[in-house]
Amino acid sequence: MTDNFHSTTQAFNAIIIGGGMVGAATAKGLADLGLQVLLLERDSLPAYDPNAPYDLRISAISAGSVALLQSLGAWQNVEKMRHCPYYRLETWETPGMGTYFDCADLGLPELGFMIENHVTQGAIWQTFAQCPTLNAMQNVKIQQIFRPTPNGDWCVQLENAQTFTSPLLIAADGANSLVRQTAGIGVTAWQYRQDCMLLTVKTNKPQHRATWQQFYPTGPRAFLPLTGHNACLVWYDSPQKIAELKKLSLAALSRAVMQAFPAQLGEVDVLNRTSFPLTRRHAQTYVKNGVVLLGDAAHTINPLAGQGVNLGFKDVKALLDVLKNAHAKGEDLASDAVLKRYERTRRADNLLMQSAIDFFYKGFKTPILPLKLLRNAALIGVDHCQPLKKRALKYALGL
């Protein structure tokens, strides 16, 4: 791996914009194929400190995503840093009338792990030292992305005048993707008229390695276990309510949390909080003229099922599988004929997950009693139908 180039222009087989979890995983996978890869990340990687407070950006990494990280050689790095396994997943509206998943249902040692995003990102970046064909740069300021001729390579020019070219440009630069906009790919999007507040807390109860969420008409409230007596809470509510909560002191917010969350949470002290509006986006195409969209650049989803980064890792695996097969056959990796295979694999699956989450979101917002009885009966029905329960769990875990 190198962070410095000695010429003003270099050509690569693939350029990836965005060095977060999804972009970094893609870069490592393509380098493992022997391709000359350039990864550009606008920020610097945060240093890992095991004694630092938990970061608010935490993801539930599913068993399927763990398998991908293992194949990239990154999981062994994760295991040296903070990570918390979870064994159960519980969902209910009325206590005692819910669906309860356990790792034993599929014969797994765990369902997944709660991991800070920067830990997963850093673990992947640590693998780059063994990749001579992978060039990764941090703190990059892109001046422009352009294509000099209609059928030519893509050019990425930095503010320091360095220019890099490649026929394949991969967008892993997030929901407001510059690459997607440059390629002229539109999105279908709407606001959920709901905000999400993330809170890191200290609990007085030991953690039972279960993640749970209870549905309310104003939105679900979820619990994500972390190591020791740490946890992350997720509070969905109207923008007005979240704005009110943001104004509270940490002590007052702690009291509000204990009043609003299920009693099983126990006493908590809020350590930190942040919030953001919920928006659904889906790119109208994932592929155009040698540009490929991955992760949030292609789709964003309501986070209530914790599927965001896991869908991104599914994108990565699908793209790597397609390009590996095409590379072995000597095909043009940047051709629409090759890249559309990736889109056909992932676009329908991402749309299905988005639609399923929307169904839950809308279905649990309605306080009408007959509908409430119906959805509670549905949760109980899923819990008692083992074949359906196992199938739903395997799908959610990417297995």
Side-chain angles (χ1 to χ4, degrees), residues 188-232:
T188 302
W190 63 79
Q191 296 281 347
Y192 283 99
R193 291 178 293 180
Q194 191 175 71
D195 281 11
C196 174
M197 174 171 275
L198 301 176
L199 310 100
T200 51
V201 302
K202 282 284 188 181
T203 65
N204 71 328
K205 291 183 177 181
Q207 305 310 320
H208 298 290
R209 299 295 192 256
T211 179
W212 50 258
Q213 64 180 349
Q214 181 173 7
F215 286 96
Y216 297 82
T218 55
R221 292 161 202 170
F223 172 89
L224 312 180
L226 302 174
T227 57
H229 284 246
N230 296 286
C232 178

Side-chain angles (χ1 to χ4, degrees), residues 102-111 390 393-394 397 399:
D102 194 284
C103 59
D105 294 336
L106 296 179
L108 298 173
E110 65 278 314
L111 295 178
K390 289 182 179 180
L393 184 58
K394 289 182 68 174
L397 297 181
L399 299 175

